Amino acid sequence: LTNIFICVAIGGGIGASVIVSRYFGAKEYGRMKTAVFTALLSFLGISLVLGVAGLFLGNQIMIWLNTPQDCLDMTAQYLRIYFLGLPFLFMYNVLSAMFNALGKSRIPLYFLIFSSVFNVVLDIIMVTKMDMGVAGVAWATLIAQGISAVLSFAVLIKNLNDLEGKQKTMELSEMTRIAIPSILQQSTVSIGMMLVQSVVNGFGSEALAGFSAAMRIESICVVPMSAIGNAVSSYTAQNIGAQQKDRVVQGLHAASKMVIVCAAVICFFLEVF
């Protein structure tokens, strides 16, 4: 279930970054700032609505998904805390997409490394030292994502202030036209996997644990391809905005080669190990 919300956030960020990248490439910094703040406010609102819906319906959805009775309470407890942090999750993913659109992809990488390490440290402290169990894992995630989102927002504002151009009236129509297909594309697979999960859950906790562990490996395999696709989206939009369409084809060829290499390396390690 949580993967669906993550995919909605990522898909929305990609859709918004295409608009921001195009204005950035065309050096229309005023319209670019408008697009950035439109994206942030829009997805903050969406995250609040989804978070409230999740708080009320999360437990019932887990029942519909045939979650084994012996772990249903832990699942519900985790989800309640997770949905409280949904605005931070959405903001971090949209902010990361905005940095990519500005050609500053290293900044969200640094924040992600910090967030991941901090999350693991908090996990260890809250689970082993404070004996908080599943709730400790959820709170650790919320705190780590929250700090990263706030710091990312502060750095983004500083970067935007360094660019000339005044913010204009918000426009949602063009961003929505691109963001919605991107959201559907990102979330469709997760919805399908959730339906598969509901069948696996019927076999009990051991099958559920095995399936979940395998899905973590599967997600590692998919992430490099998604990341390359996201990078190409921003790269393409920037060059269209800058009227350098010949570079778009070059970028496609380079990205295709990267995907083939990644696929070969990942396939090798999966088969051997």
Side-chain angles (χ1 to χ4, degrees):
L1 179 62
T2 57
N3 278 344
I4 294 176
F5 292 98
I6 292 171
C7 287
V8 170
I10 293 174
I14 294 170
S17 71
V18 169
I19 303 295
V20 175
S21 297
R22 196 173 71 202
Y23 290 145
F24 181 70
K27 297 184 179 181
E28 297 182 31
Y29 297 133
R31 299 187 71 179
M32 185 200 74
K33 291 180 181 180
T34 301
V36 169
F37 288 111
T38 300
L40 291 174
L41 290 173
S42 300
F43 286 102
L44 176 61
I46 292 171
S47 68
L48 291 173
V49 171
L50 292 177
V52 171
L55 285 171
F56 284 101
L57 298 175
N59 191 51
Q60 184 59 51
I61 293 173
M62 289 298 101
I63 294 173
W64 289 337
L65 292 177
N66 298 319
T67 304
Q69 196 64 40
D70 58 351
C71 60
L72 182 60
D73 290 341
M74 288 188 291
T75 305
Q77 184 183 33
Y78 181 91
L79 281 177
R80 280 195 297 271
I81 301 168
Y82 180 89
F83 284 124
L84 289 175
L86 204 62
F88 292 129
L89 170 72
F90 268 68
M91 286 298 97
Y92 176 77
N93 280 283
V94 174
L95 286 164
S96 294
M98 297 300 99
F99 281 118
N100 290 340
L102 299 176
K104 299 181 181 291
S105 58
R106 292 183 181 181
I107 293 176
L109 172 63
Y110 297 148
F111 281 123
L112 184 61
I113 292 171
F114 162 76
S115 177
S116 299
V117 173
F118 189 47
N119 196 344
V120 171
V121 172
L122 287 178
D123 279 340
I124 294 171
I125 293 172
M126 291 184 170
V127 175
T128 64
K129 303 297 182 184
M130 300 173 66
D131 197 27
M132 293 176 65
V134 170
V137 176
W139 280 115
T141 301
L142 188 156
I143 293 168
Q145 285 184 342
I147 293 174
S148 290
V150 171
L151 292 176
S152 297
F153 180 73
V155 174
L156 179 66
I157 293 299
K158 182 180 181 303
N159 277 270
L160 292 179
N161 288 337
D162 292 339
L163 298 173
E164 296 181 358
K166 292 185 178 181
Q167 185 182 346
K168 302 178 181 180
T169 307
M170 288 193 297
E171 295 180 5
L172 281 172
S173 57
E174 189 172 11
M175 190 172 295
T176 301
R177 180 175 60 83
I178 296 176
I180 288 180
S182 180
I183 290 171
L184 293 175
Q185 177 187 349
Q186 293 285 329
S187 59
T188 297
V189 174
S190 290
I191 293 172
M193 292 310 301
M194 188 175 70
L195 297 177
V196 173
Q197 179 95 54
S198 68
V199 177
V200 174
N201 289 349
F203 294 107
S205 298
E206 290 186 0
L208 165 59
F211 181 79
S212 298
M215 286 303 298
R216 291 292 178 270
I217 302 299
E218 192 266 352
S219 66
I220 292 174
C221 301
V222 171
V223 164
M225 313 308 175
S226 298
I228 293 170
N230 298 349
V232 171
S233 296
S234 294
Y235 174 87
T236 300
Q238 285 177 355
N239 283 289
I240 289 176
Q243 300 298 316
Q244 296 188 36
K245 296 184 179 179
D246 56 321
R247 296 191 68 200
V248 174
V249 179
Q250 295 173 14
L252 173 62
H253 292 162
S256 299
K257 293 174 184 176
M258 291 169 67
V259 167
I260 291 170
V261 171
C262 285
V265 171
I266 290 170
C267 184
F268 171 79
F269 277 99
L270 279 180
E271 292 297 328
V272 174
F273 298 104

